[in-house]
Amino acid sequence: AETIAVARKQELAAEKVGAGVWEASTDSVEEVVKLDTKVEGNEQEETPMHKKDQKAVTDMMAESMAEHRDKQKQRQEDMKVRKEILQGAEVICVTTMSAGGDILRDFNFQAVLIDEVAQATELSTIVPIVLRGARQLVLVGDHCQLPPSVVSQEAQLRGLSLSLYQRLANSGLEPCFLDTQYRSHPVLAEFSARLFYQNALKSGISASSRPLPRGVPWPNANVP
């Protein structure tokens, strides 16, 4: 009976903790964990062991609350230090979802730039736009490349694999096209230029600046 009573009172304590009563005094905790002495309408005497168990539970709760307060204080101090560091930065880099974090709640931004936005889902892109709104919004991406990765087939069918960049392009908003690439071998870039960009993509590097990798018997030395 005592074990059941303790469990019951611990549940009540947990409910009060959940309601934000961590700052309660030790006396309040003792009151929360006080054991029932009524069993089926009869009074039950508190034995020395009974009182010992009650004190053990009281001490445990008090220790738990003290530990919680210490951790909460440490989290607040850490948050304060992080905000001070961020306030001294000119540029803050985060993921689209992290942009909705509490640490950025009090910040005002002049501009929001989202990179690789064509590979981000529309919902994730909306997070920094809505929660961290700015005077200027810059979307950088390429809707001719890979779309957002959406595992759920149902989500794809419902249009959740469409990026905000693709939606704007489909709506007639003309993107600013950067027509010169400096990464790939010109021969590799020719394929993409012909298939996706109507030959509008040019190469800003020569074939000699992209030599063949060593140790690989390449079938055609002119076409890497």
Side-chain angles (χ1 to χ4, degrees):
E2 290 183 1
T3 303
I4 295 174
V6 171
R8 179 186 168 208
K9 289 304 179 184
Q10 285 176 330
E11 289 174 4
L12 291 175
E15 291 175 2
K16 293 209 172 190
V17 166
V21 196
W22 276 108
E23 287 74 17
S25 64
T26 305
D27 294 339
S28 299
V29 177
E30 291 178 355
E31 188 174 323
V32 170
V33 299
K34 193 174 293 182
L35 300 176
D36 284 339
T37 56
K38 291 185 178 181
V39 179
E40 296 181 358
N42 298 324
E43 294 290 334
Q44 185 183 39
E45 252 184 65
E46 289 191 359
T47 64
M49 182 61 70
H50 189 115
K51 294 181 178 180
K52 183 178 179 181
D53 291 342
Q54 179 179 333
K55 185 178 185 306
V57 174
T58 302
D59 293 344
M60 180 183 67
M61 291 294 297
E63 182 180 349
S64 177
M65 289 197 306
E67 183 180 352
H68 173 80
R69 285 193 294 266
D70 291 342
K71 289 183 177 179
Q72 188 177 41
K73 182 179 179 181
Q74 184 62 48
R75 284 195 297 267
Q76 292 173 349
E77 292 177 354
D78 290 346
M79 180 71 75
K80 181 180 178 181
V81 172
R82 292 176 183 177
K83 283 188 175 182
E84 289 176 354
I85 295 174
L86 291 176
Q87 285 170 351
E90 294 184 2
V91 178
I92 299 176
C93 299
V94 294
T95 63
T96 52
M97 298 305 295
S98 298
D102 289 341
I103 194 170
L104 299 177
R105 176 179 297 175
D106 300 326
F107 283 76
N108 295 317
F109 295 96
Q110 174 67 29
V112 170
L113 185 149
I114 306 177
D115 192 21
E116 296 293 354
V117 67
Q119 294 186 21
T121 62
E122 191 170 27
L123 293 177
S124 67
T125 306
I126 288 175
V127 173
I129 297 175
V130 173
L131 297 183
R132 304 292 169 249
R135 295 180 181 179
Q136 295 175 309
L137 173 65
V138 181
L139 304 178
V140 181
D142 186 354
H143 59 291
C144 293
Q145 295 187 20
L146 294 174
S149 298
V150 177
V151 178
S152 171
Q153 186 175 5
E154 182 178 358
Q156 292 183 18
L157 294 175
R158 292 178 179 270
L160 294 182
S161 61
L162 183 69
S163 68
L164 178 62
Y165 195 96
Q166 179 71 65
R167 183 183 295 279
L168 293 175
N170 293 346
S171 300
L173 183 63
E174 189 68 25
C176 179
F177 179 60
L178 303 180
D179 61 358
T180 305
Q181 69 88 23
Y182 298 90
R183 180 183 299 176
S184 303
H185 190 288
V187 176
L188 290 176
E190 285 178 7
F191 172 78
S192 298
R194 183 174 61 254
L195 188 63
F196 300 112
Y197 304 107
Q198 292 76 46
N199 292 319
L201 182 64
K202 300 177 292 186
S203 291
I205 57 172
S206 61
S208 60
S209 61
R210 291 291 180 267
L212 297 175
R214 296 179 180 179
V216 178
W218 217 259
N220 187 343
N222 296 322
V223 183

